Amino acid sequence: MTRTTDGGPSRRDIATFSVSRALTIWGTRIAPALMAPLGILLTIPLLVAAVGLAIWWQGHVAVIESVDAIATRQFDDRAEQAAQHTRALLDQAEPLTDNMVAYVRRVGLDPPLEDFALTFRDQLRACPGVAYISFGTREGHYFGVYLDEHGRYVTTRRRYGGPQRTHRRDFVIGDDCSLTLVDDDPTHGFDPRARPWWQAAVANGRRTWSQPYVWFDIGVVGITCSEPIFDDAGDVIAVTTVDFHLNGLSEFVETLQTAEGGRTVIFTESQDVIAFPGARQEFGQGEARGKKLRVEDIEEPVARALFDALLPVTDEPVRHIAFESGGEPYLAVMRHIEIGDDGRWFVVTFGPTAALTAPAAAHRRNALIVSAVALVIAILVAAFFARFIVRTHLRVVRAEDRARAADEQLQRLGSYQLTRKLDEGGMGEVWIASHAMLARPAAIKLIRPKYLAQKSHAEQSAAVERFRREARTIAGMRSRHTIGIYDFGVADDGALFYVMELLDGIDLRTLVREYGPVPVRRAVGILIQAAASLREAHERGVVHRDVKPANIFLCREADELDVVKVLDFGVARQIGGDDLEKTMGDGLWGTPAYMSPEQVSTRKDLDGRTDVYSLGCVAYWLLAGRSVFVRKGTLAMLEAQLSEEPQPLDSVAPNPIPPALESVVMRCLAKKREDRPADMAALVMELEAILARLRDDGWNVETSRAWWRAVPSIFDTLESDPTDVVRLSPKRSGTSRDAAVNAVNARS
C-alpha cells in the first residue's frame, strides 16, 4: 500500500478499497436480496416501469419533432405527383402531333372528311384533357376535331374564300360513325394564318407551345402545341395543333385535390394562370367573350396570400413556402415543368398545415393512452411473472435435461440421418434426410411424442394404429404417379415417422398461383396421370377424400418432365393453411373448395366418384386459374358445393377450351354422383381420347424443357457436408417401393 507524506493511505488506495468494498457488499448483501422472492417481486416490475417510461418518453419526443417533417414530406410527394400528372397530360400532345403530321403527309391537305373525323375522333377520345386536334393550310383552309360544350365530338371543315368569307361546316360525329351537320356558316371570319399558334410555329420553324390566348370560336382561354409542315422547297404548307383550354385544365387540377384540403395551381413565367381549381369561362362566339386569367385576377384569400408569398419566382427546382391566411398556417411546394424550348410552367400544391399535422397529434394522444395502458399491463404481468420465476426456472432446467437426453437418444447411430429441417407445424416436423448406408436424399416427417402427449391415451393408440394402417396401404400401391414410402415406423423415443423420396418440382396450387392457368395440352396430361393414381387407389378400396392442387405434385425425374405424383392419402394431414384449405375433423374430412356434395353432407358410403368430383375441381383450377366457387368462409363454400351450379368453364377460362374437354370437366362437377363419369378408368379413357384430338396449343417437348430449365431444382440446394445432423433410430418399421414427397409436399 502506498502512503502519503503524512503517513496516510493515498487516494488511489482509497478508491481501490471503495470499489472492492462496494463489490463485496453487492455480492454478499444486495445481489442475494434481489434474487430472493421478495426482491424479484419488487425489482422486475420497477425495472419494467422504468424501461417503459424511458421508451415512451423517447417516442413522444421523436413524434413531436417529426410532425413538421412529415407534413413537408407529404406535401413534397403530392407536389411531385401533381407535376408528374401535369407533365403526362401535356405529353399527350407529342404523339397526337406526330400522328397529325404523318396523316397530312400521307393523305394531303384536303383529306376525306369522314376518314379524318373518325381517325382523330378516336385519338381525341383516348386522350382526356385534350380539347382540339386540327391543322390549317397555307391557303387558309382548316380541318379539326374537337369536344364541344355538350360533350359531343365534332369535326369542322373551313374553306377560306377571302376576309369574312370562310365557309365553315361543323358535323357531330355519332356513335354509329355518322356525320350530322350542325353548323353551316359561309361568312365565318376565321383565318388560321392569323392565329397566334400559326404565327409562333412559323416564326420558330419547329414544334412550339403558345402563350395563353383567347380562342377564336368559343372565347375561352387556352394553349396550343403547334408544328409547321414544310414542302421540299422548305416552305410552310400547313401547321398542326393540339389544344388545351382553361376549363379542361382546371377540371384536371381539381382531380389532384386531396382529402386534407390540398389544391394545385399552374401558371407561366409571365404569370398567366393555366389552371386553377374552380376556374371556369363561359363558351361563346368571338374573342371578346373571354380574357386571359392573370395571377393578380385571382381574389380568393388563400390563393392571394399564396401568390404574395410566392412571387417573384426563383430558379429553385423545388421550393417550399410557408404562409398564413386568416391566421391559419399553410404550406406550399412549387415545382418547375420545362415546356420544350418555350419556357417553364410552375406547378404549386398548397394546403393547410393543420390538416396534415392533426393525424399526427391524434396519433400522439392515442399513443400516450395506449402506452399508459400497456405499461400498467406490463407491470402487472411482470409482477405475476416475478412471483413464479423461480418455479419456472426450475421447470426450464428440468425440460433442458429432458431435451438433452432426447437429443442424445436421437443422435445414436441409426438408419436415417436428418440433415436440415424444412418445416414445423402443429403436429410434426419435416426434414431432408439420407439413409445412413445408402446416403440417398429423402424427405422424412416426424410426429414427436410431445405432440401425441397432448392427446388422451385412447387417441394416441388410435393415431398410431391409423398411421400404420394407412402407411401400409400406400406402400402396397404400384402406380408411378402415387406417393410411396421408403420406410415407416416408430423410433426409440416414441416418434412416428415415415420416409419418402425427395421430389424435384412444384405442386399444382403453387404452379397456377405463380404461372397462371395451364395450357390445355399440359393440363390434360396432368389430369390423366393423377386419375391413373386415383384409379389404382379406388381398385384397392381407398378413397383419397382430399384431392386438391396442393396434393398433386408436378416434378421431373432424370430426363422425364411433367411427371405427376399424388400425395397425402390420409397418412399426413395438411399443417396450417387458410380457412378454405384446411383439413377438418369431427367427421368432415377434406378441403371445402374441393369437396364433393356427398362429402359435405357427411355421407358414409363414399366411393371413387367423390374423387372424380374433386379432380374436376382441380381441372377447373388448372384451366381457369381459380376455384369452381369463389366464396369467403367455410360455411359459404360448403353451401355452394351442395346447391350452386358452377359457371361454364369456357366462360371463365382465359384460353379457349375444347367443347369435349369442357363437357368432361362439367360432368365431373355434377351434384349427383350418378351423373359423373362412372370411375377413374372411364375418366382416363375420355381424357386420352381428347388428348389425341387436341391441336397444338404451343405446349410441346421444347416448350416443356424450356419451362423446366427456369424452375430451380431442390437438389442444387442440398449441402454436401451438413452441420445440423440428427440421427433417427427406428425401433420397428416397414418398407416399400420408391415414392415421393419433397419440401413443398412437406406442408401437407
Side-chain angles (χ1 to χ4, degrees), residues 478-554:
R478 292 294 179 266
S479 172
R480 69 170 304 197
H481 303 299
T482 302
I483 181 177
I485 299 177
Y486 290 150
D487 200 358
F488 66 93
V490 183
D492 288 340
D493 67 337
L496 304 178
F497 72 93
Y498 49 87
V499 187
M500 292 166 284
E501 178 185 6
L502 188 66
L503 290 185
D504 183 19
I506 187 172
D507 66 84
L508 299 188
R509 179 187 183 192
T510 306
L511 173 69
V512 173
R513 285 188 172 182
E514 292 189 1
Y515 298 97
V518 176
V520 172
R521 291 184 65 85
R522 190 182 196 190
V524 174
I526 292 171
L527 295 172
I528 289 173
Q529 296 180 69
S533 169
L534 296 170
R535 177 178 61 188
E536 183 193 16
H538 296 167
E539 291 172 353
R540 293 177 176 271
V542 177
V543 180
H544 192 292
R545 296 184 298 174
D546 199 16
V547 176
K548 60 184 179 181
N551 283 342
I552 300 177
F553 202 84
L554 195 61

Side-chain angles (χ1 to χ4, degrees), residues 194-214:
R195 303 307 298 156
W197 49 266
W198 178 286
Q199 297 168 358
V202 172
N204 292 333
R206 56 171 172 80
R207 189 169 298 181
T208 301
W209 282 91
S210 72
Q211 292 297 318
Y213 68 98
V214 179

Side-chain angles (χ1 to χ4, degrees), residues 53-110:
L53 287 172
I55 293 174
W56 170 81
W57 178 251
Q58 289 183 348
H60 179 69
V61 172
V63 169
I64 293 176
E65 293 177 347
S66 64
V67 165
D68 290 339
I70 291 174
T72 302
R73 185 165 57 251
Q74 288 180 333
F75 256 101
D76 275 344
D77 293 341
R78 291 169 187 172
E80 183 177 3
Q81 290 176 2
Q84 289 175 349
H85 289 316
T86 303
R87 180 72 268 176
L89 177 71
L90 299 177
D91 283 346
Q92 296 179 112
E94 298 295 326
L96 288 176
T97 299
D98 292 341
N99 293 343
M100 179 63 79
V101 171
Y103 183 85
V104 172
R105 292 191 181 280
R106 176 172 55 85
V107 178
L109 300 179
D110 191 10

Side-chain angles (χ1 to χ4, degrees), residues 5 105 281 415 607 721 729 731:
T5 55
R105 292 191 181 280
Q281 291 183 330
S415 298
D607 58 21
D721 185 18
S729 179
K731 181 165 61 178

Side-chain angles (χ1 to χ4, degrees), residues 110 113 142-143 155-159 167-170:
D110 191 10
L113 184 60
Y142 182 77
F143 298 84
T155 184
T156 182
R157 181 176 63 189
R158 306 174 190 182
R159 297 195 180 278
H167 191 173
R168 170 181 175 173
R169 291 170 63 84
D170 285 5

